[in-house]
């Protein structure tokens, strides 16, 4: 059954990638207006550290949006689930689907930062099909930052900021 899941995942990914041809750009840090953050909430060890980086970027005039996976079956009706998705939004071969997913992947972020040290397929898929101009991920794409699987938020964003500073023209 795993081979079928793998095959369906690959077919869906190829289909989505072939229909999207976003122009890749090296984005000067000083011209960045929008930043998207994609992550699994259970992989973020310290939400306060993450929020500190978001606040810093916001203070510097960047529009920052988070989109996170919450490892629960379904959100309760009373839960504010804006900017979040759960297992209900991911099909059995690990492809996220739904209106929230479509809205996220169609946002033209200047930079999309995906924190995915566990290399979860659904996060990989979202990152791959996003129309963001520049993608920063733990595994691959426009910028490779090699981190430990249990790296702290502070370490992750410190490494990202250091790399962006080096790329600034």
């Amino acid at each position: 059954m795993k081979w079928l899941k793998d095959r369906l995942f690959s077919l869906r990914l190829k289909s989505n990638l072939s229909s999207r041809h976003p122009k890749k750009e090296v984005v000067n840090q000083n011209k960045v207006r929008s930043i998207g953050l994609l992550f699994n909430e259970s992989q973020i060890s310290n939400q306060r550290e993450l929020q500190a980086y978001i606040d810093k970027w916001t203070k510097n005039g960047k529009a920052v949006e988070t989109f996170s996976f919450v490892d629960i079956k379904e959100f309760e009706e009373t839960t504010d689930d804006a900017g979040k998705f759960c297992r209900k939004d991911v099909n059995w071969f690990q492809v996220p689907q739904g209106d929230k997913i479509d809205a996220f992947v169609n946002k033209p972020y200047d930079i999309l930062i995906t924190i995915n040290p566990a290399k979860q397929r659904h996060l990989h898929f979202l990152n791959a099909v996003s129309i963001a101009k520049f993608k920063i991920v733990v595994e691959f794409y426009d910028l490779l930052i090699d981190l430990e699987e249990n790296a702290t938020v502070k370490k992750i964003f410190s490494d990202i900021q250091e790399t962006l500073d080096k790329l600034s023209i």
Side-chain angles (χ1 to χ4, degrees):
M1 195 57 100
K2 183 180 177 337
W3 67 269
L4 181 59
K5 283 184 178 183
D6 291 346
R7 182 72 175 141
L8 291 172
F9 179 85
S10 294
L11 288 172
R12 182 68 63 88
L13 183 58
K14 281 182 184 179
S15 169
N16 277 286
L17 290 177
S18 66
S19 67
R20 298 171 173 269
H21 297 284
K23 182 181 176 190
K24 295 292 180 190
E25 301 176 30
V26 175
V27 180
N28 184 320
Q29 179 182 343
N30 300 323
K31 294 181 181 177
V32 170
R33 288 195 166 85
S34 62
I35 299 173
L37 291 173
L38 174 62
F39 57 92
N40 180 330
E41 285 191 2
S42 66
Q43 293 178 337
I44 300 297
S45 59
N46 190 331
Q47 291 287 337
R48 283 192 200 135
E49 286 180 357
L50 177 61
Q51 192 58 48
Y53 280 96
I54 292 170
D55 293 343
K56 179 181 174 185
W57 287 330
T58 303
K59 190 176 178 182
N60 289 331
K62 318 287 190 233
V64 181
E65 292 183 27
T66 61
F67 195 61
S68 60
F69 175 73
V70 181
D71 195 8
I72 59 173
K73 185 174 181 177
E74 190 173 355
F75 292 110
E76 295 179 13
E77 286 184 29
T78 59
T79 305
D80 177 20
D81 62 352
K84 298 179 181 194
F85 68 108
C86 62
R87 290 190 308 249
K88 179 182 178 184
D89 302 309
V90 179
N91 67 21
W92 70 277
F93 53 94
Q94 298 299 301
V95 172
Q97 54 194 11
D99 294 337
K100 289 189 277 189
I101 304 301
D102 293 340
F104 173 76
V105 298
N106 289 311
K107 280 208 175 170
Y109 298 109
D110 291 323
I111 296 177
L112 174 61
I113 301 171
T114 303
I115 303 170
N116 190 15
K119 298 179 181 166
Q120 295 175 310
R121 284 183 140 186
H122 53 276
L123 295 180
H124 167 74
F125 184 90
L126 290 174
N127 184 73
V129 301
S130 170
I131 63 168
K133 294 177 185 172
F134 192 80
K135 300 173 185 178
I136 300 173
V137 291
V138 174
E139 39 189 320
F140 56 88
Y141 285 96
D142 297 317
L143 179 62
L144 173 64
I145 298 177
D146 191 20
L147 299 171
E148 302 166 5
E149 185 170 326
N150 57 354
T152 66
V153 171
K154 186 174 184 176
K155 174 72 172 136
I156 291 169
F157 283 94
S158 171
D159 288 355
I160 290 170
Q161 189 64 51
E162 180 181 324
T163 305
L164 288 175
D165 289 343
K166 288 178 183 177
L167 288 174
S168 292
I169 299 171

